[in-house]
Amino acid sequence: MPAIARKVQRLGCRRLRLIVDGEVVYWALLVPSEAELEAHARFPGMPRWTLESWLRGLLERFEAGWPQARTVELLGVWPDRVEPVARAFPKAPEGYSSSEETLC
């Protein structure tokens, strides 16, 4: 997860697309800025998030909705392009371990 968060920051993408087994399940999720994450934590009882913890929580919620997913792709979305950020294989075939790759 740290490598994915660093890549999202480095690319400066403000929207993410989530694809599960080749189907778009979230078209253009707005990525919070550092200032927005800090502002969230100022409300009483609200957790303090980093981009990494926000991404982890997001993907855990989607994992609950698609427990049999075999391939999950995260794409950065801009007005003029869509670029791969990461791909994960949570349900690898028998005999293989699950894996995650941060795409260039």
Side-chain angles (χ1 to χ4, degrees):
M1 195 57 65
I4 295 171
R6 282 192 305 272
K7 183 163 186 192
V8 168
Q9 285 177 323
R10 182 175 50 84
L11 291 173
C13 57
R14 292 286 295 158
R15 297 190 185 278
L16 295 174
R17 183 168 297 162
L18 184 69
I19 300 174
V20 176
D21 295 334
E23 301 224 9
V24 175
V25 297
Y26 210 103
W27 188 255
L29 176 69
L30 186 61
V31 177
S33 67
E34 282 188 42
E36 291 165 332
L37 292 170
E38 289 172 10
H40 181 268
R42 285 189 288 237
F43 289 98
M46 298 306 284
R48 177 171 293 280
W49 286 335
T50 62
L51 181 58
E52 181 181 340
S53 63
W54 179 83
L55 281 168
R56 179 175 284 112
L58 168 78
L59 294 174
E60 286 172 353
R61 285 190 305 276
F62 279 107
E63 181 180 34
W66 284 270
Q68 299 304 319
R70 296 182 78 61
T71 304
V72 177
E73 296 175 82
L74 196 59
L75 307 175
V77 178
W78 289 266
D80 60 341
R81 71 185 193 281
V82 175
E83 188 173 317
V85 173
R87 185 179 311 137
F89 305 94
K91 303 288 182 196
E94 188 90 19
Y96 294 92
S97 64
S98 64
S99 65
E100 179 182 295
E101 53 189 55
T102 303
L103 306 171
C104 298

